[in-house]
Amino acid sequence: MTEQTVYLDPGPYDWRSRKIHIRPHRWYATVRLDRDGYADVRRRQGLDFELPSAYAEAVNEANSAAIDRIRYEGNSDTFVWSDGPEWVTLFVPFRHVEATVEALRAAELNHDYGMLRALAERLALPIDDWLAPGERELIRGVDFDPPPGVFLRFLRGKAKRYGVRLNGRATAGSVWVRPTLSPVEKLLRENLPERYPGWVDRWSSHVEPDGASVRPWVGGQDQGLSYGATRVEFRDVAIPGHGACPCGMSLRDLEDGGNEHTAHHTSWTFGVRAPKNLEWYSELAVVTTQSPIAWRRLANKVARMPQKEEHYDFNSWTHLGEPEATADNVRAYLLKANGYVIGYLVAHDTSEHRSWDLIDGSPDGDRDDTLRPRIILIWVADLYRRQGIGATLVQALADDFGCQITDVSWSTPVSNAGQRLAARISPLGIWIS
């Protein structure tokens, strides 16, 4: 199949004409109705150019069924489509391209959506039947057509959307399945019906009839050792510290596989990996609001660690637009070790301060209008804490400004960890603002 364009409006053709573009791919074809110019003209004329809701619903039904069919046959592409008003896109197997073009023609010109719904019915797969409760064997060529391994992989994905564990095995010419529903998934769907409209529990009350098919042993692990077993019982208990992880994310984030939590926790522990395209000429880099965007993006990425850990509302480094100088000389100090950014300090210059005696804890000291560098935030990767990294960053800030470390000002409120650091490097007191 080659690329084609089918016009729906009579000639002469121009940019306002509605047309259907057909583009073949390896596994399927994209059939896209271009009504961009048509919709633009109607918009300018004050006429209705939106797709009727019934039209959009029919397109989505056909697309969902067609994409299921494409994935059932072994393709794993990611599909993104539009249902108007400028474009209407469907992804269909090659043998259904002509029917799809005619269905779009009837819907667009005659407001007849029956052909789209008929296409959806023709493409629909018997997924509910495949995931019905009970142990059984699905035969290739009778119950399904793709290779058993491909079919089993597709069916596992559909089962997951139902909250069902498939317990499947592919053989040379068939697939054995035993769909079961866990109590956790059952409770989730019963408590959140708005998230799972139309969901019905068909599995919990199922009882295998006498003489039901028994999956044959085919080698490997012992089989059937859980057949006829009683269900595990669950109890509600309060687990201390179950909600939050020290990195700032919820431990409940692990329930969905924990990939996001694992990545964040690794960066929080060891530091943020420094991009290979940035050349570091020494361990400490000073990033300003006028630095190249790659450096400013790195500062923003590192700043997410303390933001997540301390649950701050805002990221402490937001200068991601065009290079622009700031009146208070905002800059970030990034300390690198072993290929990771392990320390972060963001600061600016200001002239409004008060002295704070750390011994008696009174913050109401003398006012001072000297221009000083002011620490906005300090963060150190967990593995490197209590090793002097924070003091190193503060000393770098003082040296860069040309003052003593005791002249550095701290933004309030100063955290407990910040107070301990300040007490070590300036035991007689600090400046705050």
Side-chain angles (χ1 to χ4, degrees), residues 23 65 123 183 190 244 309 320 415 421 432:
R23 182 183 179 188
L123 290 167
E190 289 178 344
E309 180 178 355
L320 299 176
S415 66
L421 172 60
I432 60 172

Side-chain angles (χ1 to χ4, degrees), residues 82-95:
S82 168
D83 56 8
E86 288 84 7
W87 303 85
V88 177
T89 307
L90 291 104
F91 307 93
V92 295
F94 292 115
R95 59 183 173 276

Side-chain angles (χ1 to χ4, degrees), residues 68-69 72 121-132 136 138 142-144 151 154-155 158 162 202:
D68 272 351
R69 177 73 64 167
Y72 160 77
E121 292 177 3
R122 192 156 60 249
L123 290 167
L125 296 167
I127 296 172
D128 287 343
D129 294 340
W130 291 335
L131 296 180
R136 62 200 182 281
L138 303 175
V142 178
D143 301 296
F144 67 93
F151 174 64
F154 167 79
L155 205 55
K158 302 306 292 186
Y162 283 80
R202 300 182 291 150

